[in-house]
Amino acid sequence: MRFRAGKRVLGEIVAIRDLQRIAAEAEATSAAQIVEEKKSDLSQSEIKRQSTEENWRRALSAQSIPLGVLGLWSAELLRDDRAVEKAASEVAGASLDLERCSRNWHLASLRCDSATLLYRKAAKDEAGKMDEKRSQDALDRFAQEGGAL
C-alpha cells in the first residue's frame, strides 16, 4: 500500500523543497562569483608574468648586465610561471565546483516543482472531495425533507 500524504503535509514538503532550492541557488551564485574572482586572479597573474618576461627579455638584450641580475629575473619569471599555474588550477577547481552547484540547483528546482505539482493535485482532490461531500449533504437534506428527485 502506498502512503498518500495530505495537503498539509505536502504543503510543508513544498516549503522545505523551496528552501532547498533557494539554498542551492545561493550556493551556485556564490560559486559563480568565486569563479569570476579566480579568473580575475589568473588574468592578473598572466599580466604580471608577461611583464616579468618582457623585462627579462630586455635585460638579455642589453649591452652589459651583471649575471646576478639575469639570475634574479629568471627566478622571478619562474615564480610568476608557478603563480599562473596555481591560478589556472584554482580556476579549474572553482569551475568544477560551479558545475556541481549548478547541478544541485537544477535538481533542487526539479524536486521543488515536483512537490508543488503533488501539492496542487492533492489540493484539487481535496476540493473535489469537499464538493462531493457538500453535494451529498445537500441530497441527504433534500431527501429528509421529503423531496423527490
Side-chain angles (χ1 to χ4, degrees):
M1 185 165 108
R2 197 169 168 175
F3 173 73
R4 289 188 61 97
K7 182 179 145 188
R8 184 186 62 76
V9 172
L10 286 172
E12 292 172 1
I13 291 170
V14 167
I16 290 168
R17 290 295 189 191
D18 194 44
L19 289 174
Q20 290 171 334
R21 181 191 56 77
I22 290 168
E25 181 181 5
E27 186 178 10
T29 301
S30 175
Q33 285 178 315
I34 290 170
V35 167
E36 289 307 312
E37 289 170 6
K38 297 296 181 183
K39 284 181 178 180
S40 176
D41 291 347
L42 174 60
S43 178
Q44 292 299 319
S45 294
E46 288 173 336
I47 289 169
K48 185 175 182 317
R49 185 201 174 278
Q50 186 177 14
S51 174
T52 301
E53 185 176 0
E54 288 171 8
N55 289 333
W56 181 69
R57 288 180 191 265
R58 266 189 260 127
L60 285 175
S61 65
Q63 291 290 335
S64 66
I65 188 164
L67 289 177
V69 173
L70 284 177
L72 292 174
W73 281 118
S74 296
E76 182 68 20
L77 188 56
L78 287 174
R79 276 193 297 276
D80 289 349
D81 280 341
R82 277 184 248 138
V84 167
E85 289 172 6
K86 181 179 182 244
S89 174
E90 288 176 356
V91 167
S95 295
L96 288 174
D97 191 45
L98 175 59
E99 288 176 23
R100 180 191 58 79
C101 290
S102 294
R103 277 192 307 272
N104 288 346
W105 180 22
H106 180 71
L107 287 172
S109 293
L110 289 175
R111 289 177 182 138
C112 184
D113 293 346
S114 176
T116 301
L117 288 174
L118 288 174
Y119 173 79
R120 288 179 183 157
K121 182 181 181 317
K124 184 179 175 183
D125 290 349
E126 189 176 296
K129 287 179 185 177
M130 293 297 288
D131 286 345
E132 186 178 315
K133 185 175 181 338
R134 280 193 289 270
S135 296
Q136 187 62 46
D137 289 345
L139 286 173
D140 289 346
R141 278 193 309 275
F142 183 73
Q144 286 177 351
E145 294 171 357
L149 289 175

